Amino acid sequence: MKEKFIRFMSGRYGIDSFGKFTLILGVAALILSGWFDSFIFSVLAWVCVIYSYFRIFSRNVYKRAAENQTWLNKTYKVRSWFARQKNSASQRKVYHIYKCPSCRQKIRIPKGKGKIEVRCPKCSTTFIKNS
Ligand SMILES: [Zn+2]
């Protein structure tokens, strides 16, 4: 059974970032169509799910990869924004982030060191901060 599936999937595209998105969108639309009893959402759900499966089983790997690349390029700003938020949230646990008063450069200072003098690496302004 597993071998049959592997043989069936060989040469087919499979799931990618864009495929995950269309699947999640499909499931979300399905849930919304249940909540609002909406025809539009249930059509959207089916379109997304069918399109997702079409891409997963597609043999035109190059075209699917190009679609995924377009998707990644178009969502680059949004994805990097989320990545930055996640990153700064994890940094905030260990560091204070201060802005240099003269050049607005962000400076990272480890927490729990008491009152320290901070020197801006960009413009060499010094200022006192509690860490
Ligand atoms: Zn500065």
Side-chain angles (χ1 to χ4, degrees):
M1 183 59 207
K2 203 184 167 193
E3 263 177 39
K4 254 188 182 172
F5 179 71
I6 290 168
R7 204 171 307 143
F8 173 74
M9 284 305 290
S10 81
R12 293 177 197 266
Y13 186 61
I15 195 101
D16 60 9
S17 174
F18 183 46
K20 275 181 201 158
F21 171 74
T22 53
L23 266 181
I24 291 166
L25 192 67
V27 171
L30 199 67
I31 293 167
L32 288 172
S33 76
W35 280 352
F36 298 114
D37 196 22
S38 156
F39 177 70
I40 292 164
F41 279 128
S42 59
V43 168
L44 182 68
W46 280 110
V47 168
C48 286
V49 169
I50 290 165
Y51 183 59
S52 304
Y53 277 92
F54 156 74
R55 292 189 72 252
I56 290 168
F57 298 130
S58 170
R59 288 185 185 278
N60 195 344
V61 174
Y62 290 108
K63 202 170 176 198
R64 300 290 88 78
E67 284 166 4
N68 190 48
Q69 200 51 54
T70 308
W71 156 254
L72 290 176
N73 290 345
K74 280 193 175 158
T75 56
Y76 174 75
K77 275 187 183 165
V78 179
R79 284 181 302 110
S80 63
W81 185 83
F82 276 109
R84 269 205 310 279
Q85 296 309 306
K86 206 177 156 194
N87 185 32
S88 75
S90 71
Q91 296 235 323
R92 226 162 272 161
K93 282 177 199 155
V94 205
Y95 297 101
H96 280 295
I97 313 271
Y98 290 119
K99 268 189 189 147
C100 170
S102 64
C103 73
R104 316 296 295 160
Q105 164 75 33
K106 277 184 182 171
I107 303 165
R108 202 181 67 173
I109 294 154
K111 280 187 175 176
K113 296 261 195 262
K115 227 173 207 167
I116 52 166
E117 191 188 60
V118 182
R119 178 186 285 273
C120 172
K122 205 170 164 190
C123 68
S124 299
T125 306
T126 55
F127 53 100
I128 308 288
K129 283 284 180 192
N130 273 316
S131 73

